[in-house]
Amino acid sequence: MNYQTLSNKYISDSQRKLNILLASLHIYYQNLRTFHWKVQGPNFFELHKQFESMYQKVSENIDDIAERLLALQANPISQLSEYLIISELEEASDELNTKEMLEKILSDQDILIQSLRFLVSFSNQHADEGTADMLVAMLREVEKESWMVRAYLRKNTSQ
């Protein structure tokens, strides 16, 4: 189905739901930046680099969602104050130790995975394959990163 034939109601509902995801990704992005700046200890070099890689991917996802909203002739929100209000995630403290940082990342990823799964289903129900395809790719990426963070956390806390 061509995106231009999607119903106005679907586009309005999709705009609201995608903007919540957009806000959540902005908070996740900033949490990762904070961890990138604040990480210390014996795993500094590997985690500093990993956090940077993760936030760069999230930055691309943010742009993809905003551009998809525009393609749907909807408006992406762009105010930090709005992100903080509607995000499903919370800002991380900048006082976390490395283990707490990784646990916060996992918690954020769990919420993002749930949100992405819901949005994929919602998009598919309305034959919005373009949005669903974009979200499936993001879901696959977050699930893989979550698996890797869990494995890293187990390895480094079982010693």
Side-chain angles (χ1 to χ4, degrees):
M1 173 179 274
N2 186 312
Y3 78 92
Q4 294 168 331
T5 62
L6 296 169
S7 75
N8 287 337
K9 172 144 178 38
Y10 167 74
I11 291 174
S12 176
D13 289 347
S14 183
Q15 176 179 0
R16 185 174 46 79
K17 293 173 189 331
L18 287 172
N19 270 317
I20 291 170
L21 178 61
L22 184 65
S24 297
L25 287 172
H26 270 281
I27 301 303
Y28 182 55
Y29 170 87
Q30 190 56 46
N31 287 344
L32 291 167
R33 294 282 317 222
T34 297
F35 300 158
H36 171 76
W37 295 329
K38 300 283 185 159
V39 69
Q40 296 182 26
N43 300 327
F44 169 81
F45 288 106
E46 64 188 302
L47 289 176
H48 184 76
K49 184 177 178 181
Q50 183 61 35
F51 294 156
E52 181 176 23
S53 173
M54 291 171 75
Y55 74 68
Q56 287 172 343
K57 289 177 191 172
V58 175
S59 177
E60 292 171 18
N61 291 339
I62 287 168
D63 196 51
D64 288 344
I65 291 171
E67 289 175 353
R68 183 62 186 168
L69 280 160
L70 292 166
L72 292 170
Q73 299 175 347
N75 292 316
I77 61 170
S78 60
Q79 301 296 308
L80 296 175
S81 57
E82 284 186 82
Y83 296 150
L84 291 168
I85 293 168
I86 69 170
S87 173
E88 295 176 313
L89 304 181
E90 294 182 8
E91 286 181 298
S93 167
D94 64 354
E95 302 291 325
L96 301 180
N97 64 42
T98 301
K99 183 176 185 248
E100 292 168 331
M101 289 176 185
L102 293 167
E103 289 170 345
K104 174 62 173 153
I105 289 171
L106 287 174
S107 173
D108 287 354
Q109 289 170 335
D110 287 346
I111 293 167
L112 290 170
I113 288 168
Q114 288 178 329
S115 182
L116 285 162
R117 286 179 179 160
F118 171 80
L119 287 167
V120 167
S121 176
F122 177 74
S123 300
N124 281 329
Q125 289 171 5
H126 292 80
D128 183 2
E129 293 87 358
T131 301
D133 181 62
M134 174 192 70
L135 295 171
V136 166
M138 288 179 196
L139 174 61
R140 193 170 37 249
E141 186 176 282
V142 175
E143 286 175 336
K144 181 178 180 181
E145 284 184 349
S146 181
W147 157 67
M148 295 172 104
V149 171
R150 284 181 204 287
Y152 183 88
L153 192 56
R154 273 194 304 273
K155 172 189 163 253
N156 287 288
T157 57
S158 63
Q159 298 175 352

